[in-house]
Structures are given as C-alpha cells and as structure tokens.
Amino acid sequence: GRTVEAFRHLAGVEPAALVDAWLELAVTCARLAASRATPDDVEALRQIADDYRALNLEQASFDAVARLNLGFVRRTAQAAQNPILLLFLDALIDLIYSAAATRPPSLEQRRELVSVHDRVVDALQDGDGDAAARRMHRHLSALRLLLLDQENGPYSGGPP
C-alpha cells in the first residue's frame, strides 16, 4: 500500500540524503544489536566477515564485494531485532547498491574492510553498543566519502 508507494519515490532522492539515511540506520542497528544479538547472530556476522576475508580481493567482482558488505549491514540490522528498522534498511539496499556501483571501492579500500567487519563483530560480541555504533559509523563514513562529491549539494561542508 502506502509504504510501497512511499519507497518508490526514493529513486529520485539525492545520493547524499540516501547515504546519510543508510549510515544512521546502520549505526542505530549496530548500537541496538550489541544488547540484543544472539550467539547465532554473532556467528552469522562472523561468517560474513570470514567470507569477505576469503575473497580474492584483486579478482572479486563488485557484485561479490557489495553483496557481502550490504549483507553484513543487513545482518547487523536483523540482530537489532527491530522489524521497523530492518524494513527501512531493506528499502534502501538496492539504491545503495546502485549508488556504490557508480564508484566501486579501490583494492586498498576493499582490504581495509576486512578488519572493519571483525571490529564491529567484536563490539557486538562484547555487548558494547557505543563501540559497535562508532565502528559502523567509521565504516560507512568511508562509503559516504567514496560515493559523494563533497564539493556539491546541500550536504557539502559538513562532517561526513
């Protein structure tokens, strides 16, 4: 109904607004997941981190890299156990994928993600919501900088 119709309008939204919403949702989900994640959630996230580490990053396709990264954020949202946040995050996934496809990460950026995923999972396992949120923010701020032209648009000049 109206929810589906509302999300159809997101296709015309400025990339900066889209990425900011994705970042804030993911950070909130990471904070909540630190207190709500089950051992199965942590294991599933650790498996995604391991799968990413196992990729041959020099040869891996953009699709393989993006699906694991987006899957990591989505699985973190599932661990937060809030269906509304998951609904909003899911509504943005395809748009984030499309935006990321226009500026894929460099090999060096891909390599940096290996340890980032581990640090987020470690914070979730420790139940440290502040650390989980901070690490997810740092992770997705790098994506924000990669995707957005910082010199244009209403979001320029502010902190990433």
Side-chain angles (χ1 to χ4, degrees):
R2 289 194 318 195
T3 303
V4 171
E5 187 61 31
F7 286 127
R8 284 188 189 152
H9 295 288
L10 289 176
V13 169
E14 281 199 38
L18 174 66
V19 174
D20 283 348
W22 174 260
L23 185 148
E24 295 302 329
L25 282 167
V27 167
T28 297
C29 288
R31 181 176 284 110
L32 289 173
S35 63
R36 299 178 180 179
T38 67
D40 288 343
D41 292 326
V42 172
E43 181 56 34
L45 285 161
R46 186 80 64 199
Q47 184 60 56
I48 294 170
D50 290 347
D51 291 347
Y52 188 85
R53 185 180 299 98
L55 285 177
N56 177 341
L57 294 174
E58 292 179 10
Q59 297 179 355
S61 68
F62 167 78
D63 186 67
V65 171
R67 290 198 184 281
L68 283 172
N69 279 306
L70 294 174
F72 185 85
V73 174
R74 187 181 191 286
R75 191 63 182 88
T76 302
Q78 285 178 303
Q81 300 178 31
N82 183 310
I84 303 302
L85 290 173
L86 185 59
L87 172 74
F88 282 109
L89 199 97
D90 278 346
L92 299 178
I93 280 182
D94 289 339
L95 298 172
I96 291 291
Y97 179 95
S98 296
T102 66
R103 286 184 156 168
S106 68
L107 179 58
E108 181 179 329
Q109 290 165 326
R110 290 177 179 196
R111 287 183 177 140
E112 290 173 6
L113 291 174
V114 173
S115 61
V116 169
H117 291 147
D118 287 333
R119 288 192 301 265
V120 171
V121 176
D122 289 345
L124 296 177
Q125 189 168 9
D126 293 343
D128 189 341
D130 289 339
R134 196 172 48 252
R135 291 168 184 173
M136 184 66 79
H137 188 275
R138 195 173 304 133
H139 168 40
L140 295 181
S141 289
L143 171 70
R144 185 185 195 289
L145 290 173
L146 178 67
L147 294 180
L148 302 178
D149 176 3
Q150 295 296 308
E151 297 179 33
N152 297 314
Y155 290 83
S156 62

